[in-house]
Amino acid sequence: MIHLIPDPYHLPTYHASPLARTRAPSPRWQRLGATIMYHHAPPEEPPGRAKPCRSILPGMPEPIAPPDRRDPVCPPLTFDRTEGRIQHRFLRAHGTAAHVALTSGVAPRIIIAFPAGNRGVLLQGRIHDTDVALGFDGPLTPLDEETHGIQGVAVTIITDAPELRFAPAVLGNVRTIRDVGYGARLIPRLRRYSIAVTGTASDRALTIERPGLDGRHAYAIQVEPRDGTTVTVDPDGGFTLHPPPTGQVCADIVATCDDPHLTPIPVDRLLRPSARARLTGTDAHRDLNALAFLAYREKLLAGSWQYLTYFGRDTLLALRLLAPAIGADLFEAGLGAVIDRMAPTGDVAHEESLGEYALMERDRARKHARQTGTAIPEKMSVALRASRVLLAATYRCTMVCSPE
């Protein structure tokens, strides 16, 4: 896991997977776009944040407009981390950002998480008789609608285990996945999966799909065995991957994400020039990559994968700790996100709720309001919007006037 707040006592190191091999990703997962049926209207773009304000103080530079998600100033970002028996692989390229975590052990686990929409996939392994060592087989592949017909990420996993058994998949908000990991049970509305197996007995692909509770999004993954690996579906909706007579279990996993992408802040704009000049060694650049994966113009994310969204407290603490080193773009993004999410009373929001989780929390809040006769705040006051502009402009002035 990576966190927004620096932790000098927790610096995991790089390790290459002993099972990793160089391989070109299979093009067969492209048929997933034709397999998944989106019965709902395309998602509407959420209300945008206020555009970067024009300079309101003499001598201040004009703020730079957010770059397009394919802007060459935001080159692809890929890096790995290993923490104990968990291998993490991060990708941010062509508008797609994803974090894939493979956990080895008697109950192996695969997590695929997307910053966009704070959504993801949980494939929780059943209890095996022996340890299962999961590994990546090649890099993550970003998928975009223009090129591949779907949005998401593709990953190839391998293992030497005699078989790989998974419980029913959990597709939804990261907070839902987190709750399930802590032992919570899915509500019936989140268990309405459609499972389809396509292809011949020796070349099957498993597709798992669920419509979103909001009626505007769909959650789907495809598991496609490779190199003689086969898949069978269990009565409860789980599935098992079987290796060929000689060889390893190998499968492509594709997870889709139809939420609007976040706008990354270029790596070279995260820090002040003097701070960038002091970066030396692998650890420093690794931590800079982690910060880049969590930094977007819409908000700063608290950590990945379990806290892959905005946290007011974490954002303010991180800005305070990093203020001597970070650039104006990062500071304005973090401060603007805090003010954008303030309550009309001025209270700073804690953890942001998105997608289905927000819908379920809204239902609970309305039920509580009916029972207690209280009102639910709907909009931010104009004064708070204005304060965002003034604070961002003041910081920009400080950045220009203060010496490096």
Side-chain angles (χ1 to χ4, degrees), residues 334-402:
L335 190 60
V338 171
I339 299 174
D340 282 350
R341 292 161 176 80
M342 275 188 178
T345 58
D347 294 333
V348 174
H350 176 49
E351 181 175 9
E352 183 179 44
S353 297
L354 297 173
E356 293 182 328
Y357 208 92
L359 189 63
M360 292 186 291
E361 284 200 332
R362 188 71 174 181
D363 291 342
R364 288 193 290 266
R366 285 175 172 166
K367 181 179 179 180
H368 177 75
R370 288 194 300 267
Q371 294 174 345
T372 60
T374 58
I376 302 176
E378 295 290 344
K379 297 182 179 180
M380 182 190 300
S381 67
V382 176
L384 288 176
R385 292 281 182 186
S387 66
R388 177 199 185 283
V389 175
L390 291 173
L391 287 173
T394 302
Y395 178 74
R396 282 188 174 274
C397 182
T398 303
M399 294 291 294
V400 171
C401 299
S402 62

Side-chain angles (χ1 to χ4, degrees), residues 302-319:
S304 190
W305 60 270
Q306 296 191 44
Y307 308 100
L308 203 54
T309 188
Y310 163 89
F311 277 72
R313 175 199 60 188
D314 298 67
T315 299
L316 291 173
L317 288 174
L319 291 178

